[in-house]
Amino acid sequence: MLRGLALLLLSMLLIVQPAVAQQILRDAETEALFNEISAPLVKAAGLDPHNVQVLLINDPEINAFVAGGQIVWIHSGLVAKADDVNQLQGVIAHELGHIEGGHIIRSSEGIKAATGITLLSLLLGAAAMAAGGAEAGMGIMAAGQQAAMGKYLSFSRNQESSADLAGARYLSRAGVTGRGSLAFFKKLQNQEFRLAIPQTDSYARTHPLSGERMAVLGEVYRKDPAWDKPIDPKLEARFERVKAKLVGFVSDPTQTLRLYPETDKSIPARYARAYAWHKSAYPDKAAAEVNGLLAMAPDDPYFLELEGQILLESGHPAEAIPPLRRAVAETGSQPLIAALLGHALVATDDNSYLPEAAKVLKSAVNKDKDNPFAWYQLGVVYERQGDTARAALATAERYQMTGKPALALLSAEAAMAGIKQGTPDWLRAQDIAMVTRFAVDSKKKR
């Protein structure tokens, strides 16, 4: 009986807690686009834009989810398969509906109700078995588990339907057409057809069938004043760039070159091929594509960033510094690009660059504390400058955000030992030590 209950609860937890162990893809241009297209939707949802993030993870599945907090996770496969920026906005609006509705927090309600049914069926089944009805008892238990799973799946479908309608409201308030949302559901429906998913009902599914969702949302969207509003061509052009560079980065280079052949001289095609050639260790071909991009837009910060990245990762850090400096200046010290510049400065092994590296890396982590690579580079700078205590503090920051509390605790304690007590850096080290000590102690108790 206990094994049956454990299996049921495990299956539910797998449903309501999507894994976030995939690689997070951080890119300045992509995140700038995500912020811009989600900002009016976040406002329409009544959420604080400072608290909501839309982040990309490396996963080929066409999917997006929220898993606690106010972060919308977008799969790389979804961006690659989306036909236009409006489809992506429709997905983001739906996920914001989960956040605004508190669905992750409320998932425990669905689990609690399903668990109650399971426990009752186990007790009744045990009683029947004790009375000599072994087959009847097993039947009661099996029926109870099926009823419990059905109860939870119904709860999940109701949440999805609620998020669909909430997303439609946000799109309407933001003046964004729902055509992309419907088109994306049609794409999902085609996938259901290919997978031979029965279209009669969605009883055994966590989500309503795409056809059911389209039927409901179609009535809502077609009556909305924004239905015939065209897509902003500037946003669409930026989306095509982001999509192309993502395909170039995550896809097999041969596939990228099929999608974006060398006869295509457009910006998205050059972008995709630059990443494909760079991945394939053809730096000259990658550089040629970047040169083509810069010929069209010499001051584009993201083209300059790519030029610097290719030079840096091809073993030419000193040559990477000038374009990265320009990219940082053009974006107002965008933290991800600033971290890349800091890396290039450190990689030269020229200590005369250390003061500049410290400055740009401090700026990067002040604006974006959740960048373990920037903290690592800053720790290297401190270590080379002889400031081992602050090197330990930077290391503690990095270990804490990468889920290594024991190592973070050791580094935080080393930092506290070498930094003047009561200063901001000492207090920060103390905070990390307190949090990570609690985490370590809790793990030991478990």
Side-chain angles (χ1 to χ4, degrees):
M1 289 188 295
L2 290 175
R3 183 174 180 271
L5 177 60
L7 288 172
L8 176 64
L9 292 179
L10 176 59
S11 67
M12 291 178 179
L13 288 173
L14 289 173
I15 292 170
V16 302
Q17 295 185 9
V20 292
Q22 297 100 324
Q23 178 192 7
I24 300 175
L25 300 178
R26 300 294 309 275
D27 174 69
E29 184 176 14
T30 300
E31 292 182 11
L33 175 67
F34 283 1
N35 289 339
E36 184 165 346
I37 65 176
S38 65
L41 302 174
V42 171
K43 183 179 179 182
L47 301 170
D48 186 344
H50 296 96
N51 296 333
V52 178
Q53 288 181 284
V54 182
L55 296 177
L56 186 68
I57 58 174
N58 190 6
D59 191 306
E61 295 295 322
I62 304 176
N63 196 17
F65 61 89
V66 294
Q70 295 190 15
I71 301 177
V72 175
W73 299 95
I74 303 291
H75 285 212
S76 58
L78 188 151
V79 176
K81 295 297 183 182
D83 296 323
D84 54 52
V85 70
N86 187 224
Q87 292 187 9
L88 182 56
Q89 283 180 300
V91 172
I92 293 172
H94 170 88
E95 298 304 330
L96 291 174
H98 283 305
I99 294 175
E100 192 266 338
H103 290 172
I104 295 300
I105 297 172
R106 293 182 56 213
S107 291
S108 60
E109 298 174 14
I111 294 177
K112 183 178 180 180
T115 303
I117 295 173
T118 301
L119 290 173
L120 179 60
S121 68
L122 290 174
L123 291 173
L124 293 175
M129 293 171 72
E135 289 188 10
M138 293 298 293
I140 292 172
M141 292 181 187
Q145 289 191 19
Q146 185 176 4
M149 182 59 77
K151 181 74 172 179
Y152 180 79
L153 292 175
S154 175
F155 178 85
S156 177
R157 288 194 301 274
N158 287 336
Q159 285 193 328
E160 292 300 326
S161 297
S162 173
D164 283 346
L165 294 173
R169 290 198 305 273
Y170 308 153
L171 289 168
S172 177
R173 292 172 188 170
V176 178
T177 178
R179 286 180 182 271
S181 177
L182 285 184
F184 195 79
F185 279 125
K186 183 62 177 176
K187 189 182 293 289
L188 294 180
Q189 186 183 49
N190 290 337
Q191 187 177 51
E192 291 171 4
F193 291 154
R194 287 196 300 273
L195 296 174
I197 293 174
Q199 299 292 303
T200 52
D201 64 70
S202 53
Y203 176 78
R205 292 169 54 84
T206 58
H207 292 54
L209 290 165
S210 297
E212 297 170 350
R213 302 168 86 171
M214 290 164 62
V216 173
L217 290 174
E219 293 295 319
V220 176
Y221 285 136
R222 289 185 178 90
K223 295 176 182 178
D224 189 80
W227 173 250
D228 289 320
K229 186 175 181 180
I231 298 174
D232 183 339
K234 291 183 179 179
L235 277 183
E236 180 60 23
R238 290 173 57 194
F239 169 75
E240 292 299 333
R241 284 175 49 154
V242 163
K243 177 179 175 178
K245 72 190 296 187
L246 175 63
V247 169
F249 182 78
V250 303
S251 300
D252 182 87
T254 56
Q255 180 183 1
T256 301
L257 294 172
R258 281 197 302 270
L259 292 171
Y260 298 95
E262 293 190 72
T263 53
D264 187 346
K265 303 299 182 182
S266 66
I267 285 178
R270 286 188 179 276
Y271 230 161
R273 289 197 301 270
Y275 278 95
W277 290 128
H278 183 49
K279 280 180 61 175
S280 304
Y282 289 98
D284 292 340
K285 289 188 175 184
E289 297 292 356
V290 175
N291 290 337
L293 292 170
L294 288 169
M296 291 185 275
D299 298 319
D300 188 297
Y302 305 117
F303 297 165
L304 292 166
E305 177 195 18
L306 179 55
E307 180 185 23
Q309 179 185 352
I310 291 172
L311 288 167
L312 172 60
E313 294 176 358
S314 300
H316 304 284
E319 296 175 37
I321 292 171
L324 290 174
R325 279 178 178 154
R326 288 180 59 199
V328 169
E330 291 286 342
T331 56
S333 298
Q334 203 285 336
L336 292 175
I337 302 177
L340 190 62
L341 171 58
H343 180 202
L345 294 165
V346 170
T348 62
D349 289 326
D350 184 344
N351 287 345
S352 66
Y353 284 125
L354 291 181
E356 182 184 359
K359 181 180 178 180
V360 297
L361 288 167
K362 285 178 184 178
S363 171
V365 297
N366 284 336
K367 292 181 178 181
D368 180 7
K369 296 184 182 298
D370 299 325
N371 186 343
F373 181 74
W375 283 111
Y376 171 76
Q377 294 296 329
L378 186 57
V380 172
V381 171
Y382 282 137
E383 187 71 31
R384 290 188 186 177
Q385 291 178 327
D387 191 345
T388 55
R390 283 176 177 78
L393 176 56
T395 302
E397 295 275 12
R398 176 166 60 92
Y399 280 139
Q400 184 187 28
M401 73 180 60
T402 53
K404 299 174 182 176
L407 294 174
L409 176 59
L410 289 173
S411 296
E413 290 175 339
M416 291 171 65
I419 298 174
K420 184 178 178 180
Q421 188 170 346
T423 61
D425 284 345
W426 186 89
L427 293 173
R428 177 58 186 160
Q430 184 186 53
D431 288 344
I432 294 174
M434 291 174 62
V435 170
T436 53
R437 186 177 294 110
F438 178 78
V440 170
D441 290 344
S442 298
K443 186 176 182 180
K444 287 180 179 178
K445 290 177 182 178
R446 287 197 298 271

